[in-house]
Amino acid sequence: MMFNQGTLKRKLLRETDDQQCICFQRTLQVTPDMIHRLGLEKDLEGHQGCVNCLEWNDKGTLLASGSDDVQIIVWNPFRHKRLTTIRTGHQGNIFSLKFLPNSNDSIIVSGAADCKIRVHDVNIQETTHVFGCHAGRVKRLATAPNVPFMFWSAAEDGTIMQFDLRTPIICDSTPQNVLINLNAHMGLHAEAKCIAINPLRPDEMAVGANDPYVRVYDRRMLSCKSIKFPTDNGSRSFEDTLSLMRSAYSAEFPMPQGCVKFYIAGHLPQKQMDYRKRYRTLASTYVTYSPDGSELLVNLGGEQIYLFDVNKKRKPQKFDTSLVLGNANGIVKEATLSTNGFSVPHRAGTNGVTTPMVPKSSRSTSPSSSTTSLQAEDDPEKFKCRIGKRYKRDTKRLSPPVEALKKKANNYFEKDQCRKAIILYNQAISMMPHASVLYGNRAAAYMKRKWDGDLYAALRDCHSALQLDLNYLKAHFRLARCLYELSWPQEAHDCLQQFKSKFPDYARNSACETLDRDIKAAMFSKTDHDEAESGKSESELSSRKKAMAISEQEKIWRRDAYDYEMRFCGHCNTTTDIKEANFFGSNGQYIVAGSDDGSFFIWEKSTTNIVRVLHGDESIVNCLQPHPTYCLLATSGIDPVVRLWSPRAEDGTKNEREIDNSDDAALANQRRMNADPLEVMLMNMGYRITGVLDMDDEDQESGPSTDSRSAMVR
């Protein structure tokens, strides 16, 4: 029996079936045991400045690195040997490099802060092409498998350009190879920060900019256009030239209908102004596709890491009356639920593994009332009211392992250790994704923890709980509170009115009445704000609109943007705009990302839980590039070295690079992201700022003190 289910059978099938061979490699390339043993293998020394980019060749036999020292080094990673050093000729920091496909690893393309793109022949040690088409720093390059001689660039002049080495490209005052011009739609301050090509569908291109939206274009619907550069008389500064260029770029740049889809975490359009007030810039610093091309991972500067499903798109959620009323027959329609943000349709599996449905014999035949013994039923806090027995819950019995996880999580919640509670709820939901109580409990923990994005994550959990159980009173009330705290007062009002209509016995409870007053006050406040805006002079509004002008097409794209599937928290990304997040493992089983605190984090994708935190740099870890076929990871950052990480021997020695308490590291990073910019700068210089990283949990998690919060979060 063990043979049939274990590694030995997979080894046998690998020898007899090519498809099983691929499956074997993908399954066992990166395993939990390997992740647990991951440690520093070697420091590759040779650069004289920060290492800003890393790139493996397709076979994984070569590793290339680019640095502030404007040199590219090609390494043999297995012998830890420098093979060649390319003196690129760049006059600014190298931010991106790529091996050109189908070039036998002999052609490397680099982009840098000098606004130039250079093509290098490794064999003859020469630079064969120099492109000066861009007027802003070149931040990222992208190539596509099986698309030879072509590459794409993203630059801070707000454009995406396409290059084909088989045709002459003239970079004069009127470049002809502009594929996308963000200035024409985002306004005069557009910057393209990152770009990626779907490995399985090369016609799909993802672009990240200096805003929280990610744009996915269909290249088949785009064609290169020309843009007129302002003539440089030699006396203008770079900033003046760039400003004039942006004005020229802002000219009409039409794009066909249906050529692009927008993606954004559902709470961010509403919260952008809050982040601006706290001097936090939201910008995508890295985008990449999963190995199967179905998922898009985005490292959002100033916030968290988000994963989007480009095949099963999810609309953002607020409040829908049908959610709590059901359809005309009172039956819950087939829904798509969120397990840690991962889409799990009914009777479907997670991550390609079938999730068994709960047998009828194991389900509760008499749904418990939502009025009594609520501590034993689900939530960690005591629920202080009693509701009539007419409100029946569609509860399902949890399996013993899931029940044990839930009880342990509830205990952590009661002790105000919400972070530990969320970790256990994540595990439980991955094991049993159709139990409404798990979503309801995790929503309560999110609402209490209140990290960036937690309130919206709680709102999504309330939706999932109500899709499974229309009579889940506490999920309904929490939904109203989430809407209120997310500054959607009208939706909060509608939700609370539905709550009072559905549960009239609770309508006069102090918690409900307090929330009702808070929502109405917020609605009046919003009305006053709108009237004040309308009372301002036309010149004030005109100047503001001009500075933030976006096209009508852009407004439509943003309005129709899709929501995220999963969210990964714990790292800090506020200091650099080249910080990466990547899939680790041929099936994308893990997520890795660097952090401003000098460490890098490893998350288990299926649960979104942190599994390892390792110290990777004395200051900041920016780049993490997994080997294409081995459990080998290359990282770099502010230190002038490239570090290789692989599973170490189990000899009982302690891994000195391991951060023992990942929970504390994640909390410290959350506080770092919300600290004053000056304090962050001092912390990055090595100063310890009391009151920022030393505040206690109560200070971090406290919010408006109202009866409605404590009474309804159990």
Side-chain angles (χ1 to χ4, degrees):
M1 190 67 177
M2 290 180 63
F3 173 80
N4 291 335
Q5 296 179 352
T7 303
L8 290 177
K9 182 181 180 181
R10 287 197 289 267
K11 285 184 176 179
L12 176 62
L13 293 175
R14 177 186 62 175
E15 304 300 325
T16 58
D17 188 328
D18 290 341
Q19 191 62 36
Q20 288 293 334
C21 181
I22 296 174
C23 180
F24 179 87
Q25 174 206 334
R26 290 190 169 185
T27 302
L28 297 181
Q29 176 199 354
V30 178
T31 64
D33 177 64
M34 290 179 176
I35 291 292
H36 178 72
R37 293 191 288 119
L38 199 70
L40 182 63
E41 177 181 307
K42 185 67 175 179
D43 285 354
L44 302 181
E45 299 179 351
H47 282 293
Q48 303 302 313
C50 306
V51 181
N52 304 316
C53 48
L54 301 169
E55 184 73 13
W56 295 95
N57 66 340
D58 288 339
K59 297 178 181 178
T61 56
L62 300 174
L63 175 66
S65 57
S67 169
D68 285 0
D69 62 13
V70 302
Q71 296 187 131
I72 294 173
I73 297 180
V74 180
W75 310 86
N76 181 326
F78 300 104
R79 294 187 176 181
H80 307 149
K81 181 180 179 182
R82 184 193 328 193
L83 298 179
T84 185
T85 299
I86 302 173
R87 304 188 185 282
T88 63
H90 282 297
Q91 300 300 310
N93 306 347
I94 298 174
F95 289 127
S96 185
L97 59 84
K98 289 287 182 181
F99 286 97
L100 206 61
N102 299 327
S103 67
N104 293 321
D105 304 323
S106 63
I107 304 297
I108 295 179
V109 185
S110 59
D114 60 3
C115 312
K116 298 290 194 300
I117 295 172
R118 293 175 174 262
V119 181
H120 315 278
D121 189 315
V122 179
N123 293 334
I124 63 176
Q125 289 282 296
E126 287 186 5
T127 298
T128 59
H129 300 76
V130 179
F131 300 112
C133 303
H134 282 292
R137 299 191 302 174
V138 180
K139 298 311 294 284
R140 293 287 178 184
L141 301 170
T143 58
N146 302 320
V147 182
F149 309 111
M150 290 184 67
F151 62 91
W152 296 264
S153 59
E156 290 181 341
D157 57 19
T159 65
I160 305 298
M161 294 190 182
Q162 178 172 289
F163 298 83
D164 189 336
L165 298 184
R166 295 168 296 185
T167 61
I169 298 175
I170 301 174
C171 289
D172 55 12
S173 61
T174 310
Q176 309 286 321
N177 60 329
V178 179
L179 194 64
I180 299 166
N181 176 19
L182 297 177
N183 295 275
H185 302 286
M186 289 177 61
L188 299 183
H189 302 288
E191 297 179 0
K193 293 290 188 180
C194 50
I195 183 173
I197 303 292
N198 191 323
L200 267 64
R201 296 193 295 275
D203 294 323
E204 189 175 285
M205 172 188 290
V207 174
N210 57 326
D211 67 5
Y213 293 90
V214 179
R215 299 149 174 86
V216 176
Y217 296 88
D218 187 339
R219 286 197 301 112
R220 296 169 298 182
M221 303 178 69
L222 305 179
S223 59
C224 290
K225 298 182 177 66
S226 63
I227 291 181
K228 177 74 174 176
F229 274 179
T231 303
D232 190 357
N233 60 13
S235 61
R236 297 193 189 101
S237 67
F238 173 77
E239 290 75 14
D240 291 339
T241 302
L242 185 58
S243 178
L244 287 171
M245 178 277 304
R246 289 189 186 281
S247 298
Y249 277 16
S250 64
E252 189 172 335
F253 200 94
M255 302 187 76
Q257 291 289 332
C259 71
V260 63
K261 301 293 184 186
F262 276 42
Y263 296 83
I264 188 173
H267 63 290
L268 289 179
Q270 182 76 8
K271 289 292 183 181
Q272 283 188 79
M273 188 56 66
D274 292 345
Y275 286 116
R276 290 194 191 106
K277 291 177 181 177
R278 288 183 277 166
Y279 301 100
R280 289 170 65 184
T281 301
L282 298 181
S284 300
T285 62
Y286 195 75
V287 291
T288 188
Y289 282 93
S290 61
D292 64 2
S294 66
E295 297 169 334
L296 182 64
L297 189 68
V298 180
N299 197 346
L300 185 61
E303 241 254 4
Q304 317 289 12
I305 296 171
Y306 292 97
L307 184 145
F308 301 90
D309 191 323
V310 296
N311 292 337
K312 300 176 182 177
K313 302 176 180 67
R314 174 195 290 272
K315 296 299 292 184
Q317 294 176 308
K318 288 187 181 179
F319 175 70
D320 182 2
T321 303
S322 63
L323 175 70
V324 294
L325 294 182
N327 61 19
N329 298 320
I331 301 173
V332 182
K333 56 188 176 182
E334 198 74 8
T336 299
L337 302 181
S338 164
T339 65
N340 304 301
F342 189 75
S343 179
V344 183
H346 282 279
R347 303 182 184 278
T350 59
N351 298 328
V353 181
T354 303
T355 303
M357 298 300 291
V358 180
K360 291 183 179 179
S361 60
S362 67
R363 298 178 185 174
S364 175
T365 55
S366 58
S368 60
S369 167
S370 59
T371 65
T372 59
S373 63
L374 291 170
Q375 312 94 295
E377 174 198 317
D378 49 10
D379 280 342
E381 275 192 12
K382 294 180 180 179
F383 196 71
K384 298 181 180 178
C385 70
R386 293 178 176 270
I387 307 297
K389 290 186 177 181
R390 64 176 180 269
Y391 307 131
K392 296 291 185 179
R393 290 280 312 279
D394 181 23
T395 57
K396 293 180 175 63
R397 186 175 301 163
L398 301 180
S399 64
V402 173
E403 181 67 33
L405 284 172
K406 188 201 73 174
K407 287 183 177 179
K408 189 175 180 180
N410 290 357
N411 290 333
Y412 278 130
F413 186 94
E414 289 176 349
K415 298 174 183 177
D416 290 331
Q417 298 181 25
C418 296
R419 298 181 298 280
K420 293 181 179 179
I422 289 169
I423 291 170
L424 296 177
Y425 290 137
N426 290 344
Q427 293 177 8
I429 288 173
S430 70
M431 296 166 64
M432 197 168 180
H434 301 110
S436 61
V437 61
L438 299 177
Y439 295 99
N441 285 11
R442 190 173 65 179
Y446 278 141
M447 292 173 71
K448 198 168 187 179
R449 187 177 72 168
K450 297 193 74 170
W451 286 7
D452 295 327
D454 273 359
L455 284 173
Y456 184 68
L459 178 145
R460 286 164 47 116
D461 274 352
C462 291
H463 275 265
S464 296
L466 289 170
Q467 286 171 352
L468 289 163
D469 182 0
L470 283 175
N471 292 317
Y472 199 158
L473 180 148
K474 287 161 279 190
H476 192 157
F477 186 87
R478 290 192 192 113
L479 178 58
R481 170 155 287 284
C482 286
L483 289 164
Y484 161 68
E485 295 199 26
L486 285 164
S487 301
W488 289 320
Q490 184 59 58
E491 290 83 357
H493 177 267
D494 295 342
C495 182
L496 191 61
Q497 295 310 306
Q498 290 288 353
F499 173 83
K500 292 194 290 186
S501 174
K502 190 175 182 65
F503 305 105
D505 291 351
Y506 197 74
R508 294 195 175 185
N509 179 274
S510 61
C512 189
E513 291 180 342
T514 300
L515 180 58
D516 197 8
R517 288 194 300 270
D518 291 343
I519 291 172
K520 289 176 180 176
M523 293 175 68
F524 282 121
S525 175
K526 187 176 187 302
T527 302
D528 292 342
H529 178 269
D530 293 342
E531 291 177 353
E533 287 290 304
S534 63
K536 290 184 176 180
S537 67
E538 292 185 6
S539 60
E540 287 181 295
L541 294 176
S542 176
S543 60
R544 182 187 302 179
K545 288 180 180 179
K546 186 175 181 180
M548 304 177 63
I550 62 174
S551 69
E552 292 301 317
Q553 208 169 20
E554 177 85 3
K555 292 177 183 177
I556 295 172
W557 290 331
R558 292 186 178 190
R559 183 197 64 200
D560 296 335
Y562 294 102
D563 200 5
Y564 72 89
E565 287 296 325
M566 308 182 79
R567 183 177 66 121
F568 301 90
C569 307
H571 82 317
C572 179
N573 181 12
T574 59
T575 305
T576 61
D577 64 353
I578 57 172
K579 203 170 276 89
E580 300 175 349
N582 257 307
F583 294 92
F584 193 17
S586 294
N587 281 334
Q589 306 97 307
Y590 296 92
I591 305 297
V592 292
S595 178
D596 289 347
D597 64 352
S599 62
F600 67 90
F601 286 69
I602 305 176
W603 292 266
E604 182 183 39
K605 194 184 79 170
S606 60
T607 63
T608 73
N609 287 339
I610 299 169
V611 292
R612 294 290 300 283
V613 182
L614 294 166
H615 182 68
D617 193 279
E618 290 305 312
S619 182
I620 297 173
V621 177
N622 283 322
C623 306
L624 299 96
Q625 289 294 324
H627 189 277
T629 55
Y630 296 158
C631 185
L632 181 63
L633 181 68
T635 69
S636 67
I638 303 302
D639 293 346
V641 299
V642 177
R643 292 190 167 95
L644 297 177
W645 308 78
S646 62
R648 312 314 300 152
E650 294 181 288
D651 55 6
T653 60
K654 178 176 173 57
N655 186 343
E656 295 181 355
R657 291 269 176 175
E658 173 126 32
I659 307 297
D660 291 329
N661 195 325
S662 61
D663 195 42
D664 287 347
L667 175 60
N669 277 328
Q670 180 64 23
R671 291 168 174 167
R672 182 187 293 262
M673 282 204 295
N674 286 277
D676 180 89
L678 176 60
E679 293 173 336
V680 172
M681 181 183 70
L682 293 174
M683 283 188 287
N684 290 333
M685 293 171 61
Y687 292 93
R688 181 174 180 83
I689 309 298
T690 58
V692 176
L693 297 183
D694 296 330
M695 66 177 77
D696 58 24
D697 288 355
E698 286 72 18
D699 291 334
Q700 171 67 14
E701 296 169 351
S702 64
S705 178
T706 62
D707 293 338
S708 57
R709 179 189 307 278
S710 59
M712 292 302 297
V713 182
R714 298 167 294 192

